[in-house]
Amino acid sequence: MPSLPVPPRWRTVRTERAVLGVVHNVTAATRLLDVLSLFAGDHRLQFVFTCPGSSAFTGGTAEYLAAHGIRLLPWKEAVHGGFDWTVSASYGGDLHKLRGPLTVLPHGMGYNKFLESGKAGKRESGKAGKRESGVFGLSPHWLMHGGSVVPAHLVLSHEEQLDRLRLSCPSAADRAIVAGDPCLDRLRASLPLRETYRQMFGVRGGRKLLFLTSTWGADSLYGTDPDLPARLAAHLPLDEFAIVVALHPNIEQGHQSWQLNQWLSQCRRSGVTVLPREDLWQQAAVAADVTVGDHGSVTFYSACLGTPVLLANAPHETVDPASPIAALLRTAPQLTTTGFAAQIAEAMAFPAALGKVVALATSAPGEFAARMLDLGYRTLRLTPPKRTPSFTAFPLVQVPRQEPAAHWVRVIDDEVVRYAAVDDVFPADAHLVVTTEAPDPRLLEQASVILGGPATDPARWIAATLCALPGCEWAACPAETGWWAGNHDGLLVEFTTPELPQVVPSLLHALGSIPDELSFTAAGVRHQVRLNVLIDDRPGAPATP
């Protein structure tokens, strides 16, 4: 019996079996914890976790597990421990040294990619894109050691993977168990909460959610075009689209958090929400109206949910031509570099027919929990609990809404259109609005309107800000009741509106007078505003109370 968390004689609950979770990296950890949650409520089981240290992306794994209340057993102890069942969500390292039955399951959408190993490392000549180590998870390089198959069970999601396994590693085929896909089952179970997730991301009314997802590596969306999220923000109307980005954890591991945050700063300043955690992409995928992705699993899962998909990059040479991901890359439309709004509108209006492709995701939809529980309890030689566990829907979390640090505004009659300002070039028929959130001095000098945060003395903030920026015509900020806005002419106005108060100063900028009420349209939605003149020091203006 393993010594972690403490030696057995010091434990309160007398468990009967010990289960080892093998965690290669953060990505594998998210899948492993999902699956083991089916068993973790059983008082007969003691779970212990270890990391073989074989992944290039082990950084952050211990911290991720610690945040879930898990301490790692050193690998040297784990290989000598007596475990009744070992479960891993990836390959790599000396898994053959572990004692007891080993079950390996994929940490993404099946097995699709060619992956160089540390030992093979080179492409085979004459076989475009194919690495010597073959398809990750299905080739002898990953499955065998010393002529023997290492895992006792290979959990697959679809029969097509079993067909490919029989061709690539026949001796492992009798170890395969087609159990379905746990992540897809959970995503589909979460669909009734779609509107809940949408509002969690700040998507209301007729606004659409554009979901960008990137796997890791030089061939990924982010690897080939890291500026794409900011460019999309600059070309899509701000009030029509919310943009959410999910990046594979290995991207941060490969460059460090500080570096990645510096690269993403312009993206965030453009109003794009970059998901702050490894396990929030699922809610975004359920909430999305359209997905822009690459050859990663998240793109495929989005397609499985019926979401229109556009491919920012399709590196066919990196995946097995017989795999489902390859089928998606051949079938889904490509996102070109111009006309983003038209392409996205067409994708939503006329989505590509991907039914045959997404059918390759699972041979057992909705059945993973039952099949995995059967496998686990048979391996542990225990009777399953009377109340069968099941997956839960993905939780609700607080996601800070990202507003652009600057945007340009076009007002035509009472219709307002806003776009994120990613540089100091903007249309001649528009004016620039800049916020006090990490403002660019070059944009501040060109701003017609500046928006501040809540101020303890809003009148003083407005006057001082306008004095400091003589080229700026209006300044506005939240006050105790509604918002206050002022200009160089001596006007100070209070206004209230249920939504989009940051648009009102742009309307005031375009008006010659201040009415008691005004209305405007943004993204096809009508908004009402109530105004109250607090101070009017313009020459000839009537006295204000």
Side-chain angles (χ1 to χ4, degrees):
M1 184 69 74
S3 60
L4 273 178
V6 294
R9 68 180 182 276
W10 301 113
R11 299 176 192 169
T12 300
V13 178
R14 296 181 179 178
T15 54
E16 301 175 29
R17 301 286 190 274
V19 181
L20 178 67
V22 180
V23 186
H24 288 78
N25 48 45
V26 171
T27 307
T30 60
R31 175 60 59 88
L32 191 65
L33 295 186
D34 258 4
V35 172
L36 293 184
S37 70
L38 295 170
F39 301 87
D42 192 328
H43 292 95
R44 297 171 295 177
L45 305 179
Q46 174 65 58
F47 287 84
V48 179
F49 295 83
T50 190
C51 178
S54 60
S55 171
F57 304 104
T58 54
T61 304
E63 292 81 0
Y64 178 85
L65 293 173
H68 288 77
I70 296 171
R71 285 182 291 150
L72 284 170
L73 178 71
W75 178 253
K76 290 182 179 180
E77 292 185 36
V79 296
H80 297 296
F83 295 96
D84 300 287
W85 188 31
T86 297
V87 186
S88 175
S90 190
Y91 289 94
D94 295 328
L95 296 181
H96 61 279
K97 292 183 178 180
L98 294 168
R99 301 177 181 179
L102 169 66
T103 297
V104 182
L105 50 114
H107 58 258
M109 204 299 298
Y111 295 109
N112 302 277
K113 295 182 180 180
F114 294 122
L115 186 64
E116 291 181 358
S117 72
K119 296 179 180 179
K122 298 180 180 179
R123 296 173 183 250
E124 286 186 349
S125 59
K127 297 182 180 180
K130 186 175 181 180
R131 273 68 167 182
E132 289 180 2
S133 52
V135 177
F136 178 73
L138 294 183
S139 62
H141 174 86
W142 300 103
L143 299 173
M144 302 185 70
H145 179 80
S148 300
V149 177
V150 174
H153 316 111
L154 289 79
V155 177
L156 307 177
S157 56
H158 198 285
E159 294 287 345
E160 70 83 19
Q161 293 163 27
L162 180 56
D163 293 338
R164 286 189 287 143
L165 179 64
R166 290 190 177 110
L167 292 174
S168 61
C169 189
S171 57
D174 62 351
R175 308 283 183 94
I177 296 170
V178 179
D181 190 304
C183 185
L184 184 54
D185 285 354
R186 199 175 175 195
L187 285 166
R188 287 173 172 166
S190 300
L191 284 171
L193 296 181
R194 183 171 188 268
E195 181 60 28
T196 304
Y197 298 142
R198 289 173 66 78
Q199 295 197 20
M200 182 180 88
F201 289 110
V203 181
R204 295 176 176 84
R207 208 171 184 218
K208 306 299 182 184
L209 177 60
L210 173 62
F211 178 41
L212 272 75
T213 170
S214 176
T215 188
W216 64 281
D219 297 315
S220 67
L221 179 153
Y222 194 75
T224 56
D225 194 355
D227 292 326
L228 179 60
R231 292 207 318 278
L232 283 166
H235 287 86
L236 297 176
L238 182 61
D239 298 310
E240 293 183 29
F241 288 93
I243 302 177
V244 174
V245 175
L247 300 179
H248 195 288
N250 287 0
I251 298 175
E252 180 178 316
Q253 291 298 316
H255 297 285
Q256 299 191 71
S257 178
W258 178 86
Q259 177 71 80
L260 184 59
N261 282 329
Q262 295 299 308
W263 287 338
L264 292 170
S265 59
Q266 181 61 64
C267 178
R268 291 190 173 99
R269 285 198 297 269
S270 301
V272 175
T273 298
V274 181
L275 294 182
R277 284 170 38 194
E278 297 82 358
D279 48 0
L280 288 181
W281 68 263
Q282 299 95 332
Q283 294 92 325
V286 173
D289 292 287
V290 61
T291 294
V292 174
D294 52 21
H295 58 301
S297 295
V298 178
T299 308
F300 200 100
Y301 282 131
S302 289
C304 290
L305 295 175
T307 305
V309 167
L310 289 164
L311 297 173
N313 196 37
H316 298 272
E317 71 280 1
T318 65
V319 297
D320 183 355
S323 69
I325 293 289
L328 180 70
L329 299 186
R330 290 191 295 266
T331 310
Q334 293 266 160
L335 180 75
T336 59
T337 56
T338 58
F340 289 145
Q343 292 180 73
I344 290 169
E346 183 177 1
M348 290 191 293
F350 307 102
L354 300 175
K356 291 183 179 180
V357 175
V358 300
L360 298 173
T362 175
S363 293
E367 295 184 27
F368 181 87
R371 296 189 181 195
M372 192 67 188
L373 285 164
D374 177 69
L375 170 63
Y377 281 107
R378 281 193 290 107
T379 304
L380 291 166
R381 304 179 311 283
L382 288 174
T383 304
K386 292 181 180 179
R387 184 178 179 181
T388 305
S390 62
F391 289 123
T392 60
F394 292 103
L396 306 182
V397 294
Q398 204 65 31
V399 180
R401 185 174 176 181
Q402 196 76 37
E403 289 290 339
H407 55 274
W408 57 264
V409 182
R410 182 186 291 124
V411 180
I412 302 175
D413 296 326
D414 64 350
E415 184 174 2
V416 178
V417 181
R418 304 190 298 156
Y419 291 86
V422 298
D423 52 38
D424 56 0
V425 178
F426 53 96
D429 60 346
H431 64 268
L432 184 65
V433 178
V434 178
T435 74
T436 55
E437 293 292 325
D440 185 332
R442 295 166 298 180
L443 297 178
L444 276 175
E445 294 298 324
Q446 299 186 63
S448 296
V449 176
I450 185 165
L451 303 177
T456 55
D457 188 343
R460 180 181 177 85
W461 177 85
I462 290 169
T465 300
L466 290 173
C467 182
L469 295 170
C472 183
E473 297 186 29
W474 283 86
C477 66
E480 288 186 9
T481 57
W483 279 56
W484 285 16
N487 68 2
H488 281 293
D489 295 334
L491 266 174
L492 185 62
V493 181
E494 180 184 44
F495 63 88
T496 57
T497 182
E499 290 188 275
L500 298 181
Q502 58 270 42
V503 168
V504 177
S506 293
L507 293 166
L508 298 177
H509 171 71
L511 288 173
S513 60
I514 309 298
D516 293 333
E517 292 187 0
L518 63 83
S519 60
F520 67 93
T521 301
V525 179
R526 198 76 174 164
H527 299 271
Q528 297 294 131
V529 187
R530 294 183 61 85
L531 299 103
N532 178 36
V533 176
L534 299 174
I535 298 174
D536 189 350
D537 288 339
R538 294 174 298 175
T544 52

